[in-house]
Amino acid sequence: MAEHDALLQCRVCGCLSHASTQLKRFEVMHCPRCGARVKLAQQSNSVEVTWALLIAAAILYIPANMLPIMSVYMLGAGQPDTIITGAYHLLEAGQWPLALIVFVASIVVPLLKLFTLSFLLISIQRRSRWRQHDRMRLYRITEYVGRWSMVDVFVIAILTGLVQFGNLARVDANLGSLSFAAVVVLTMFAARTLDEHLIWDITRQEESHT
Amino acid sequence: MLVSAEPIACHDCGQLHRYSPLAPGKTANCTRCGAVLYRNRPDMLDSVLALTLAGLVLFVLTNVFPLLGLRAQGAEQELHLLGASLAFWDQGYPLLAGLIILNIIIFPLFELLTVLVVVLTIRYRWRSSTAIFLFRWMSEFKPWGMLEVFMLGVLVAVVKLGDLATLIVGTAFWSFAGLILTMAAATALLDPFSVWRALGKNNG
């Protein structure tokens, strides 16, 4: 199937176009319909960029979990909460469904995302042919689920915005929330820059040889 | 050339297909990975237009009225959507405040206005360059609009505050819930393939 090589697909609008001429160095091709940049296969640095973002996120994941994300002051006595203790307090209060939501969204999802994207990158780099459909599905789920991790950041925003009663009760944001939001943003960018079509590259090349 | 007049590639796996018109209400799926290629929804434009206009009204209500209120020992505190976005600003985290403003005010508003412009452009056959520009960036920004995630955050906060003080659920809480539903319905109905196809035609 020769048309695989000749046609380029725009990542934004899906429109197909021909790479009519050989591009010069630093020259960029734009989609004829929507104007988005169309990357040629040899220009793709998706794997490297995704690795960089993932490693940055993995490093920030440590302070995000070690540092307190917010402090609750009741009658002057303060108590800083990390992500884990925040979820644990909900559990203690008997709110186990919410504790579960917070635990999954803030701890399980970012961690799974780091592992899943690393796994996908390694399998792409090893040119693996193993269960391409499932890896594709795994990528779609990872990409979709990532944004739900922001829920804890929103909770902190709502609590700090609402609970300001001087000495009576007060909620303050702490540095951990910044690191945590950075982890979410970086992993979202990582999922976005990972070119999922690379999962199929090996099959595509084989098809074009036969 | 090997390829017929209108070849299309699966958005998910890149498999090539040929476009052929569908009966109303039908959906075309990718032969390799099963992803949706395109749909034929006869009333798509009108339904999406109605939902988007409703969404804009709800968006205004959500931003004007307070979302939550808290009463503790005679003192009262109210929280607007903008207040929640700016809470981190007052705490000395301007970056986080900026991120949240983008997530729950700027991007959702951008999405509503873009869909409005796109639908009107297709409906009245306006020149589509503006609509193309907006729809392209809307597709890129889509994951960063987080209204439904924020709603979950509101629910968690409500339960957390439950035993701390008396909580008042504001008007904006309900318009916010409505806004999420209308935007989700509009997204589900709007078929990107049909939109790009219509926009591409108007331009040429």
Side-chain angles (χ1 to χ4, degrees):
Chain A
M1 294 237 295
E3 59 258 52
H4 274 307
D5 301 314
L7 287 171
L8 291 166
Q9 182 185 11
C10 170
R11 298 294 311 279
V12 179
C13 76
C15 134
L16 290 168
S17 52
H18 289 274
S20 49
T21 47
Q22 204 68 32
L23 290 181
K24 292 195 203 84
R25 226 178 140 203
F26 301 124
E27 210 173 16
V28 176
M29 196 185 141
H30 291 277
C31 169
R33 181 159 66 183
C34 75
R37 190 177 161 175
V38 182
K39 282 232 169 129
L40 304 179
Q42 60 267 30
Q43 288 179 326
S44 173
N45 50 2
S46 148
V47 172
E48 289 86 345
V49 175
T50 313
W51 268 127
L53 290 165
L54 267 187
I55 292 166
I59 294 170
L60 279 167
Y61 188 75
I62 300 163
N65 280 281
M66 304 294 281
L67 295 174
I69 49 168
M70 67 173 175
S71 313
V72 181
Y73 297 94
M74 295 284 275
L75 299 166
Q79 173 204 33
D81 265 341
T82 58
I83 295 173
I84 292 256
T85 59
Y88 183 69
H89 285 316
L90 278 171
L91 191 65
E92 263 186 333
Q95 305 288 352
W96 66 266
L98 284 177
L100 192 68
I101 290 175
V102 172
F103 183 74
V104 169
S106 332
I107 295 177
V108 179
V109 167
L111 205 57
L112 267 182
K113 225 176 150 182
L114 290 174
F115 282 118
T116 310
L117 290 176
S118 307
F119 162 73
L120 288 173
L121 281 170
I122 291 168
S123 72
I124 285 170
Q125 282 177 318
R126 296 189 56 188
R127 317 187 56 74
S128 161
R129 216 167 293 133
W130 181 74
R131 298 173 75 167
Q132 282 153 310
H133 285 288
D134 292 334
R135 274 156 60 209
M136 187 79 205
R137 204 162 300 141
L138 190 63
Y139 170 78
R140 290 266 166 251
I141 295 169
T142 312
E143 195 190 23
Y144 175 75
V145 162
R147 46 212 287 284
W148 288 92
S149 299
M150 276 297 277
V151 74
D152 229 25
V153 178
F154 291 142
V155 171
I156 301 166
I158 295 161
L159 293 182
T160 51
L162 194 56
V163 187
Q164 295 302 340
F165 291 101
N167 270 335
L168 200 64
R170 204 173 86 231
V171 178
D172 283 351
N174 295 128
L175 195 57
S177 57
L178 184 62
S179 332
F180 182 74
V183 172
V184 180
V185 169
L186 285 171
T187 52
M188 279 180 73
F189 273 122
R192 202 103 178 113
T193 48
L194 177 59
D195 181 359
E196 71 274 28
H197 288 201
L198 291 172
I199 295 174
W200 300 97
D201 248 22
I202 179 84
T203 345
R204 204 169 303 170
Q205 279 162 12
E206 274 164 12
E207 277 172 2
S208 64
H209 282 306
T210 49
Chain B
M1 246 186 21
L2 279 164
V3 186
S4 72
E6 200 174 357
I8 52 171
C10 170
H11 196 273
D12 276 18
C13 72
Q15 175 82 311
L16 288 178
H17 302 266
R18 263 155 229 235
Y19 176 79
S20 58
L22 287 176
K26 291 272 186 272
T27 302
N29 294 88
C30 172
T31 51
R32 178 153 71 183
C33 72
V36 173
L37 292 174
Y38 51 91
R39 307 165 197 272
N40 182 355
R41 290 274 153 78
D43 301 325
M44 181 184 93
L45 287 183
D46 287 345
S47 328
V48 171
L49 182 60
L51 285 167
T52 307
L53 290 174
L56 280 167
V57 173
L58 289 169
F59 184 87
V60 172
L61 293 179
T62 305
N63 278 281
V64 168
F65 290 103
L67 195 63
L68 291 172
L70 201 59
R71 200 179 293 136
Q73 315 245 319
E76 215 170 278
Q77 195 97 34
E78 265 181 0
L79 184 73
H80 284 69
L81 201 57
L82 190 65
S85 320
L86 290 173
F88 275 115
W89 186 285
D90 300 329
Q91 301 272 325
Y93 298 101
L95 268 179
L96 275 177
L99 179 69
I100 294 181
I101 284 201
L102 287 176
N103 288 157
I104 62 175
I105 297 181
I106 311 272
F107 286 149
L109 181 62
F110 179 72
E111 187 175 337
L112 283 168
L113 293 174
T114 299
V115 172
L116 185 68
V117 170
V118 165
V119 169
L120 291 177
T121 301
I122 297 176
R123 215 166 183 271
Y124 296 108
R125 296 171 204 288
W126 295 342
R127 265 186 57 83
S128 56
S129 47
T130 314
I132 287 176
F133 176 83
L134 290 174
F135 198 60
R136 171 190 158 195
W137 286 107
M138 191 201 99
S139 319
E140 306 238 38
F141 290 146
K142 184 111 188 145
W144 300 98
M146 300 196 190
L147 285 182
E148 67 278 38
V149 182
F150 184 80
M151 192 64 184
L152 183 62
V154 172
L155 295 178
V156 173
V158 163
V159 176
K160 272 199 172 187
L161 290 169
D163 41 69
L164 188 75
T166 319
L167 196 73
I168 308 146
V169 173
T171 316
F173 182 88
W174 303 108
S175 57
F176 195 84
L179 178 61
I180 289 166
L181 290 178
T182 45
M183 285 187 77
T187 305
L189 283 174
L190 197 71
D191 177 31
F193 180 85
S194 314
V195 169
W196 279 120
R197 204 159 171 262
L199 289 179
K201 240 183 235 159
N202 285 10
N203 208 28

